[in-house]
Amino acid sequence: MGSSERGACHHWLMVEGALEGLLAEQIVYYRARAGEYDATYPLDASADADARAELVAALEALAPYGRVLELACGTGQWTVELARHATAVTAVDAAREALAICRRRVEADHVHLVEADLFAWRPPERYDLVFFSAWLSHVPPQCFEVFWALVADCLAPGGRVFVIDELPAVAAVEHLAPGQPAPAVHREVQGSGDSYRAVKVFYTPNELRSRLGALG
Ligand SMILES: C[S@@+](CC[C@H](N)C(=O)[O-])C[C@H]1O[C@@H](n2cnc3c(N)ncnc32)[C@H](O)[C@@H]1O
């Protein structure tokens, strides 16, 4: 990574230039896609029911969760699971259309939804569990350290982090977008046929382990 790339993400409020444009387009994409997300996201497909059951069991092994922060909650596929064993859930996402679906799915009083851009958001309090699914792969690699510093700032003493994301095998069904300020793909919204760029980093579990190990 060159110093100019690192410079594009050295502080939350200073994501700059071309990278800023890519991150903004990623939000526009998820806002446009919110209505079809649940029908098309793989974890809802019956073929992946076993995988989902395994993830739910791994998550439930951490219950009770205490105060939970969910980053990039989307339509709430995981918010609903978190709400079952949490004293309170704060779920943040930039796509208000997805948050509206999340609210219909999880009507509980102890679930608070926040519309915010995670590249500009700061935690108002600390949490016992920080959770994110299908989000880390949308964080540009040059923001990796800054992002994990945010996660650390969100955690209460003894707090835990639970991360779900896709394996590199999904690259086979993505349309890679060359020449972008971060690894990216072209995604189409099925309803409109419109195409958008989104950041997509294909981490292997080993790469993640070693990058996180380096952060301590
Ligand atoms: C792949 S979806 C994951 C949603 C949910 N966590 C799940 O597992 O179904 C990625 C989510 O990131 C959100 N997102 C994208 N850019 C964001 C940003 N800068 N700040 C907050 N949320 C963002 C999108 O709106 C979308 O809901």
Side-chain angles (χ1 to χ4, degrees):
M1 187 196 305
S3 57
S4 61
E5 274 177 279
R6 265 199 307 275
C9 201
H10 63 277
H11 186 280
W12 264 171
L13 296 174
M14 296 184 71
V15 175
E16 291 162 351
L19 182 61
E20 189 176 22
L22 175 59
L23 293 175
E25 193 167 324
Q26 172 162 274
I27 295 173
V28 175
Y29 162 64
Y30 277 108
R31 291 189 62 191
R33 168 168 161 56
E36 62 188 38
Y37 185 88
D38 287 333
T40 53
Y41 185 63
L43 278 181
D44 257 11
S46 55
D48 288 306
D50 289 349
R52 186 176 174 92
E54 196 178 335
L55 292 169
V56 170
L59 182 60
E60 286 190 331
L62 300 185
Y65 309 142
R67 295 158 297 169
V68 174
L69 172 67
E70 183 182 11
L71 302 178
C73 62
T75 60
Q77 290 192 14
W78 289 98
T79 320
V80 68
E81 305 292 347
L82 293 164
R84 286 187 222 290
H85 303 289
T87 48
V89 179
T90 299
V92 183
D93 199 284
R96 78 179 61 111
E97 293 79 0
L99 288 172
I101 296 168
C102 183
R103 178 45 77 203
R104 287 199 290 278
R105 184 178 246 141
V106 196
E107 282 179 354
D109 287 344
H110 69 306
V111 176
H112 312 285
L113 304 186
V114 177
E115 182 186 330
D117 179 349
L118 284 171
F119 295 103
W121 179 83
R122 301 298 304 165
E125 56 183 298
R126 301 218 171 208
Y127 305 86
D128 303 305
L129 179 67
V130 176
F131 174 100
F132 37 101
S133 161
W135 169 243
L136 186 61
S137 58
H138 289 315
V139 174
Q142 56 268 53
C143 301
F144 188 89
E145 284 81 4
V146 181
F147 171 70
W148 282 98
L150 170 72
V151 172
D153 286 347
C154 293
L155 285 171
R160 299 174 290 182
V161 182
F162 194 101
V163 183
I164 297 173
D165 220 306
E166 294 176 309
L167 291 166
V170 296
V173 296
E174 294 276 13
H175 300 285
L176 303 185
Q180 302 301 322
V185 293
H186 292 293
R187 295 267 188 88
E188 195 171 288
V189 171
Q190 290 179 10
S192 63
D194 292 339
S195 177
Y196 302 88
R197 294 168 304 153
V199 173
K200 190 73 186 177
V201 190
F202 302 106
Y203 293 110
T204 64
N206 277 344
E207 274 175 300
L208 262 190
R209 240 174 247 124
S210 89
R211 284 201 74 172
L212 290 173
L215 293 181

